[in-house]
Amino acid sequence: MSYEIRIDIPSEVKEILWLLRAAGHEAYIVGGCVRDSLMGTEPGDWDFCTDALPDDMIGIFGSSGLCTLDYGAKHGTVAAVLHGKAYEVTTYRIDGGYSDSRHPDAVTFTRSLEEDLARRDFTVNAMAYSEERGLVDPFGGREDLERGVLRCVGDPEKRFREDALRIVRAMRFCSKLGFAADRETKDAAIGNRALLHDISAERIRVEFVKTLRGSAARQALDEFRDVVAEFIPEAAPMFDLDQQNDYHCYDVWQHTLHAVENAEDNEVVKIAAFFHDIGKPGCKTVTDDGWGHFYGHEHAGAEITDRVMRRLRFDNRTRETVTELIYYHGIVFQQTEKHARRMLNKFGPEKLELLTQLELADVKSQAPFCRDERVRGIEAFRAIAADVIRQQQCFKIADMAVGGNDILRMGVPQGPEVGRILKELFELVADGEIPNDRDTLLRKARSLAGAWTGGARKPEQ
């Protein structure tokens, strides 16, 4: 079915379409770029489909002076490089069986656009467009966009068994687009979730992180929580776990989802928000009066998170940063310069900012009666820390006006004594007892060093 709808297409995209059509072939933009354009969002990528075979495309683009890249010509995909950017163009195709639940065993090229669209995952991704024909939408994707529904093309069971990655992609699209999966699609995704064990950890990780960063992550994660538990079984004990604590108005799972929603759009903070309370189920205790406690859940959560992130093949830097944030996320920030300097010394400016972002996401997801006061306290601490940084105050040993060479010149031999003196000087400066002034620090350093004779320190008089 075609519709008279106009999509604004960039000149480079028009040029690729024109080259193919001028050579006597059909050519359309297809998939996500059509979906995003209809939703009023600027596409990140422009993909094309055509009835031209890969060898034909290479000849057409090459004769026009364009470089081509083999992005999988045996599966029909060639990339045309225009103004330094690669655009993927794929021949209409029909996929064969999927014995590995991920890739088609073989593909067959076809002359039918509708047959090509029929192999795609969701209706909102199975639309094509050309200025001549308009919108080609044989499966009702436009209507699903308007209804806010994610629906598989054809039989959902078949779609997910063909490619199990589509199960987590369904969750990701619901998060990104703010859609709800239709009943058959959701049931099939959940019912086939065990197939995710055939999918690489890296692929699942990518879709999971994109889900966390979507505008509707809370709803999508909740709707597909059984899918999440399939690749992160450590999350399941959080489901419906009553915190039995007046400071919390949600169970552990719902609190986690609200924390993800309230976290700033930073990948590390979003990941940390998801995992920050994963240690609570194993640490829960209840007093005689029915009050719930979770002593040590930060440390337990950091250990669980480290294990999960290793399994999902996160890079070491992200994994180490996230686990450190979770380990320390119970810190209560004091609204003093002394505490700000000590926190900056402990974490550094960048990591401390991430930790305060995580703490804000956490407290914004707590009970209303304590929420505002705790938010104000963290914001006040952030302002103080920002002032310390702005004033270039001393919050690490390297910021001091003296260094190790100054201590050595006093006759202190190279070794642990130099570090001890620098540490004592720093603590005095960090506590505001002496200024970060070179002359002052040198006088104090001489006092701490004492008199050295033959490499042995004499007792201070």
Side-chain angles (χ1 to χ4, degrees), residues 30-31 49 116-122 125-126 153 159 166:
V30 68
C49 61
D116 179 82
L117 296 177
R119 70 180 175 83
R120 296 174 184 263
D121 51 8
F122 307 108
N125 297 331
V153 173
R159 290 284 88 86
R166 289 169 175 166

Side-chain angles (χ1 to χ4, degrees), residues 80-138:
V81 181
L82 186 61
H83 304 313
K85 184 175 181 179
Y87 295 90
E88 293 187 20
V89 188
T90 302
T91 304
Y92 302 156
R93 73 186 204 194
I94 301 170
D95 293 339
Y98 288 74
S99 58
D100 65 353
S101 298
R102 178 69 185 100
H103 304 98
D105 298 327
V107 299
T108 303
F109 298 137
T110 177
R111 295 290 181 179
S112 168
L113 170 62
E114 284 71 14
E115 286 184 335
D116 179 82
L117 296 177
R119 70 180 175 83
R120 296 174 184 263
D121 51 8
F122 307 108
T123 61
V124 296
N125 297 331
M127 296 181 285
Y129 174 86
S130 71
E131 291 181 328
E132 292 75 19
R133 189 174 173 186
L135 180 68
V136 181
D137 177 23

Side-chain angles (χ1 to χ4, degrees), residues 383-403:
I384 293 170
D387 282 340
V388 171
I389 296 170
R390 217 169 11 248
Q391 296 165 17
Q392 296 185 324
Q393 295 187 29
C394 182
F395 52 84
K396 58 181 183 291
I397 289 176
D399 294 331
M400 288 197 302
V402 299

Side-chain angles (χ1 to χ4, degrees), residues 258-418:
H258 280 82
V260 171
E261 181 177 58
N262 288 323
E264 295 189 32
D265 187 20
N266 175 291
E267 180 173 311
V268 167
V269 179
K270 290 287 190 181
I271 297 168
F274 178 84
F275 286 109
H276 81 285
D277 277 352
I278 201 166
K280 276 189 170 181
C283 295
K284 183 179 180 181
T285 59
V286 182
T287 59
D288 292 340
D289 59 359
W291 191 271
H293 293 283
F294 302 92
Y295 299 120
H297 78 276
E298 302 93 344
H299 302 170
E303 292 180 3
I304 294 170
T305 301
D306 182 77
R307 183 169 68 247
V308 173
M309 294 185 73
R310 286 179 186 273
R311 191 171 68 235
L312 293 179
R313 306 291 178 85
F314 278 87
D315 65 275
N316 289 338
R317 181 176 181 181
T318 300
R319 176 179 54 79
E320 290 167 1
T321 301
V322 168
T323 53
E324 185 176 5
L325 295 179
I326 293 170
Y327 188 92
Y328 287 106
H329 85 269
I331 284 179
V332 177
F333 295 114
Q334 303 167 25
Q335 297 166 40
T336 66
E337 281 195 4
K338 177 179 178 180
H339 185 68
R341 285 192 294 268
R342 287 192 173 275
M343 291 297 98
L344 285 163
N345 173 56
K346 185 176 183 66
F347 298 107
E350 292 182 5
K351 196 170 291 182
L352 182 59
E353 172 61 19
L354 296 176
L355 183 58
T356 56
Q357 288 183 23
L358 176 59
E359 288 294 283
L360 281 171
D362 190 3
V363 301
K364 286 178 179 179
S365 308
Q366 295 174 0
F369 82 89
C370 64
R371 184 185 306 156
D372 292 346
E373 181 180 357
R374 291 182 173 185
V375 168
R376 284 194 296 270
I378 296 171
E379 293 288 12
F381 170 81
R382 290 177 85 186
I384 293 170
D387 282 340
V388 171
I389 296 170
R390 217 169 11 248
Q391 296 165 17
Q392 296 185 324
Q393 295 187 29
C394 182
F395 52 84
K396 58 181 183 291
I397 289 176
D399 294 331
M400 288 197 302
V402 299
N405 288 334
D406 296 303
I407 308 302
L408 291 172
R409 282 194 285 268
M410 295 177 185
V412 178
Q414 191 163 359
E417 186 69 13
V418 175

Side-chain angles (χ1 to χ4, degrees), residues 46-211:
W46 295 86
D47 292 323
F48 305 78
C49 61
T50 178
D51 62 353
L53 297 174
D55 288 344
D56 295 331
M57 288 191 274
I58 292 171
I60 292 167
F61 295 136
S63 64
S64 301
L66 300 185
C67 175
T68 59
L69 303 173
D70 183 351
Y71 272 21
K74 68 178 182 178
H75 292 119
T77 301
V78 172
V81 181
L82 186 61
H83 304 313
K85 184 175 181 179
Y87 295 90
E88 293 187 20
V89 188
T90 302
T91 304
Y92 302 156
R93 73 186 204 194
I94 301 170
D95 293 339
Y98 288 74
S99 58
D100 65 353
S101 298
R102 178 69 185 100
H103 304 98
D105 298 327
V107 299
T108 303
F109 298 137
T110 177
R111 295 290 181 179
S112 168
L113 170 62
E114 284 71 14
E115 286 184 335
D116 179 82
L117 296 177
R119 70 180 175 83
R120 296 174 184 263
D121 51 8
F122 307 108
T123 61
V124 296
N125 297 331
M127 296 181 285
Y129 174 86
S130 71
E131 291 181 328
E132 292 75 19
R133 189 174 173 186
L135 180 68
V136 181
D137 177 23
F139 303 105
R142 180 189 176 199
E143 182 181 351
D144 287 341
L145 281 181
E146 294 171 349
R147 295 190 302 140
V149 171
L150 190 76
R151 182 168 58 89
C152 282
V153 173
D155 180 6
E157 292 281 342
K158 181 180 178 183
R159 290 284 88 86
F160 292 132
R161 287 173 183 168
E162 287 173 342
D163 182 357
L165 186 63
R166 289 169 175 166
I167 295 170
V168 283
R169 280 170 60 84
M171 179 175 69
R172 189 250 291 185
F173 281 122
C174 286
S175 176
K176 175 185 176 180
L177 303 175
F179 288 5
D182 83 325
R183 173 54 59 183
E184 290 185 358
T185 296
K186 178 182 175 181
D187 288 348
I190 294 173
N192 288 282
R193 64 189 184 278
L195 294 174
L196 290 173
H197 296 288
D198 297 329
I199 303 300
S200 72
E202 292 88 349
R203 290 281 190 175
I204 292 174
R205 182 199 69 230
V206 169
E207 298 297 332
F208 174 59
V209 172
K210 288 180 178 179
T211 298

